[in-house]
Amino acid sequence: MLSRTLFTIALSFGTLGIHPASAQIVIRSTGVVSGTVVPPSQNPNFNQSTTRVNTDSQGRYFRNGQLVYSAQDFNPNLVQVDSSGRYFVDFRGIPIVSTDGVLTSPVLSGGELQPVRRNHNAPTRFHGTIQDELVVRGRYTGIATDPATGFQYQGTFDISGQGARYSDRNGGTSPTVFDFRSHYNFNANPQIPPRPTVSSFRINAMPVQLRVTIPAGLAPIAPSSPTIPSPGTPAVPNPGTLPPSTPSVPPISAPSVRSPSTPSAPPATVLPPSAPIGIDPNLSGILSSNQLQQVSRVVLEGSKASSRQIGPSSRILLR
């Protein structure tokens, strides 16, 4: 039994202790995304998915008691009611791309998002969709570290980052359907179609839950052996070079001091997919264009009107 176990270990790790992974590895961590997002040239309009947001009878949505969206600012006929008597406003999802996107993460180093020519033949760093939350996707070329094992992989990896939902208490740090005003109501008379109103949106330091996929067959980087300097012959000063007046002092042996052992650093923790993101309250949030001043005002100022806070639930309806 022992010999078969050793044979299995040898097959798994090889003579150098490192072999390609037999299956892809998914690293889960956190990250921060920045960049300017615009509608893609292939589909500058909204997609066919619908985010249905529960509101009050006036089409108002509150986050933590602060007014985030009001249909009254656009068209009262946007408000609809379902068979259970619940009021709601429908929003289309928004596809986006970014040509200057930047991603940082504790598990990524020595590289950057790989540009792909897809938007007017411009190098796109990441693409995604704004629905209940912003999801960005792209490819990162560099080094990825698996905190679970400490192995490092070098290459190009698929990445996916999910921002906070629009209903999250810090949801204002990422663009939402409210910011892009993708509301519509085909049941109104006349109909209210979804119309693009924002052509550019700046994201600054948006926290995301990050997934990095290591492809199957990619071997970890071989650990480098530490270089130990060879001891040299210490230089002994020539006594004849000392001044005549310098008295000879007998050498004093230094007391033997035992150097304390350096504790090893604890391994980095990986955030599970269900764990929430801790968002730094000092983040600068979103820098929006002049087209977004009205929405930014209600997000920042809130509302003093007494109204029942509508819950964070929403329903994504797929066509």
Side-chain angles (χ1 to χ4, degrees), residues 30-34 102-108 113 140 206 208 210:
T30 58
V32 175
V33 172
S34 299
V102 176
L103 169 66
T104 59
S105 172
V107 299
L108 299 175
L113 290 172
Y140 183 91
M206 181 187 76
V208 295
L210 186 66

Side-chain angles (χ1 to χ4, degrees), residues 11 15 44 62 108 110 112 117 130 136 162 174 177 211 215 225 229 244 252 263 285 296:
L11 287 179
T15 57
F62 294 84
L108 299 175
E112 62 182 359
R117 295 190 177 276
I130 299 171
V136 299
Q162 178 177 320
S174 62
V177 290
R211 288 168 54 96
S225 302
I252 301 175
S296 300

